[in-house]
Amino acid sequence: MSNVKPAGKRLLAINNYFYRRGGAEAVFFDHMAMFSQIGWDVVPFAMQHENNAPSPWSSYFVSEIEYGRQTSPLRKVAQAASIIYSTEAQRNIARLIEQARPSIAHAHNVYHHLSPAIFSTLKEAGIPVVMTAHDLKLACPSYKMLRAGKVCEDCKGGRIYNVLRHRCVKDSVPLSGLVLVETMVHRALGLYRDKLDRIVVPSRFYIEKLVEWGWPREKMAYVPNFVDVESYRPKWDEGDYVVFAGRLAPEKGLATLIQAAARAKQRLILAGTGPEEAALRELAARTGADASFVGHLSGQELHRLIGQSRALVLPSEWYENAPISILEAYALGRPVIGAAIGGIPEVIREGETGMLAASGDVDGLAQKLADLAALSSAERKEMGRAGREWIARDFSAAAFRNRTLELYGALGA
């Protein structure tokens, strides 16, 4: 790749939040930093929030929609309308592109805050528009294909009324009804299907799932997530535990993991917080699992915890996309035990970089934990080394940059 800076190239990078909040935001910020480094002018568009990073473009950001606050009935109606179709976002992005016309617009997460109304504005202005599918919102109204802790595809084939019938959004009739209306409006106006030029998809599994739900394959581009392995230290003194790092939520499969750890008599450390914490602590006590809850960790603290583990465990029970946590574990020189669901099997080579267990199978996961513990420290280290070598080649920043530039070029940017 040439180091010559592209003349006059400008990226409009779009996401609800302008701070590192989750996996989508990590990709959003790393994407912006990468394109700034290769000479593009990068202009962000997001929602105002007290945690936002500073930006000279923040005056164009849309007003914050904060759920759960006590507001008047009239304000709630206005918020509901903005969630579905934000005319404020349209006005602000129109002013922004008049001030700084981009070569291309690349959106990450926009629903419920910015809304996909902005895609109409960009399309009318003749700006190529790309969006990364970080979840399954393009198919499933409630975005996770998950109901009562189990995979659910009842809305396939246009049967989106099921989101209300099953109360898929926080078990709430009003919220589920709002999301049903949102989906009906977005589909009627073609805000995703007709206004997006390409959908970037980080896993092959999500491509196939979206095709199953009626999306044209030619509309999608496979661009896997990346990590910069050089910013991760791969050499650690191995401890005597496996680790889970992430949100303590039902779909993460942590009840299965705690029971499996108890049966395999393996020490487990869980780094994260979430709604399931109290129930998981009680389950650990009841099953006699050697499980420690260490709260939310980030940066070097988290790297050390994973780096000194025997392996990272990702026991998910929903359609994961392309978890960056697996790539980070490899970058830290550690193997991964993952559930064979969603995009996870695409980033684990059985017996080479880690192991796969059937999702939701306590006995199967317990066996994999025992198999991993039976290996020598040197064998686990070799698995981690193989994982790091693999992602340095196929999931690198350079690979992401080249694939993205090729996509932008195909769209005339």
Side-chain angles (χ1 to χ4, degrees), residues 297-344:
L297 299 179
S298 61
Q300 288 305 310
E301 270 191 310
L302 182 60
H303 287 185
R304 184 178 301 107
L305 182 70
I306 296 170
Q308 292 179 345
S309 71
R310 287 177 172 167
L312 177 78
V313 187
L314 198 66
S316 297
E317 294 176 9
W318 75 293
Y319 290 148
E320 290 272 9
N321 189 356
I324 292 175
S325 59
I326 294 180
L327 306 183
E328 290 175 333
Y330 289 155
L332 292 163
R334 292 288 84 197
V336 178
I337 297 177
I341 192 170
I344 293 174

Side-chain angles (χ1 to χ4, degrees), residues 221-233:
Y222 172 60
V223 181
N225 290 329
F226 71 94
V227 296
D228 179 9
V229 296
E230 296 309 316
S231 62
Y232 292 78
R233 169 186 154 198

Side-chain angles (χ1 to χ4, degrees), residues 395-413:
F395 299 88
S396 65
F400 178 92
R401 180 190 65 209
N402 294 343
R403 286 180 175 116
T404 305
L405 284 171
E406 185 179 340
L407 171 62
Y408 290 176
L411 296 174

Side-chain angles (χ1 to χ4, degrees), residues 73-130:
L74 197 62
R75 177 68 184 142
K76 285 180 179 175
V77 170
Q79 281 195 345
S82 290
I83 287 166
I84 293 169
Y85 194 96
S86 175
T87 53
E88 182 197 3
Q90 286 188 309
R91 289 192 303 272
N92 289 14
I93 207 165
R95 288 193 299 115
L96 177 57
I97 62 180
E98 192 176 319
Q99 177 70 26
R101 184 178 174 85
S103 310
I104 195 160
H106 192 141
H108 291 267
N109 283 347
V110 301
Y111 57 83
H112 300 342
H113 296 285
L114 299 177
S115 91
I118 57 174
F119 298 149
S120 290
T121 308
L122 294 166
K123 192 75 171 173
E124 287 166 13
I127 294 163
V129 186
V130 170

Side-chain angles (χ1 to χ4, degrees), residues 6-22:
K9 296 288 187 185
R10 177 177 288 135
L11 168 67
L12 176 58
I14 302 168
N15 192 61
N16 285 328
Y17 295 98
F18 198 64
Y19 65 95
R20 287 185 179 264
R21 185 171 182 265

Side-chain angles (χ1 to χ4, degrees), residues 131-144:
M131 188 185 85
T132 297
H134 290 285
D135 52 40
L136 289 162
K137 179 67 173 176
L138 292 173
C140 166
S142 69
Y143 83 87
K144 281 187 177 178

Side-chain angles (χ1 to χ4, degrees), residues 144 246-252 254 272-281:
K144 281 187 177 178
R247 185 165 157 76
L248 307 184
E251 68 271 16
K252 295 298 185 180
L254 300 176
T273 58
E276 293 295 290
E277 183 170 348
L280 292 170
R281 284 179 179 272

Side-chain angles (χ1 to χ4, degrees), residues 203-267:
S203 69
R204 291 187 174 92
F205 176 87
Y206 267 35
I207 290 177
E208 297 307 321
K209 188 56 64 180
L210 289 170
V211 168
E212 276 180 38
W213 282 60
W215 281 87
R217 191 180 296 274
E218 61 272 15
K219 194 103 172 175
M220 293 181 272
Y222 172 60
V223 181
N225 290 329
F226 71 94
V227 296
D228 179 9
V229 296
E230 296 309 316
S231 62
Y232 292 78
R233 169 186 154 198
K235 294 179 180 177
W236 306 87
D237 294 327
E238 187 187 70
D240 64 347
Y241 60 89
V242 294
V243 64
F244 168 84
R247 185 165 157 76
L248 307 184
E251 68 271 16
K252 295 298 185 180
L254 300 176
T256 299
L257 175 57
I258 286 172
Q259 292 173 82
R263 290 187 194 180
K265 295 182 170 52
Q266 298 300 312
R267 186 178 172 219

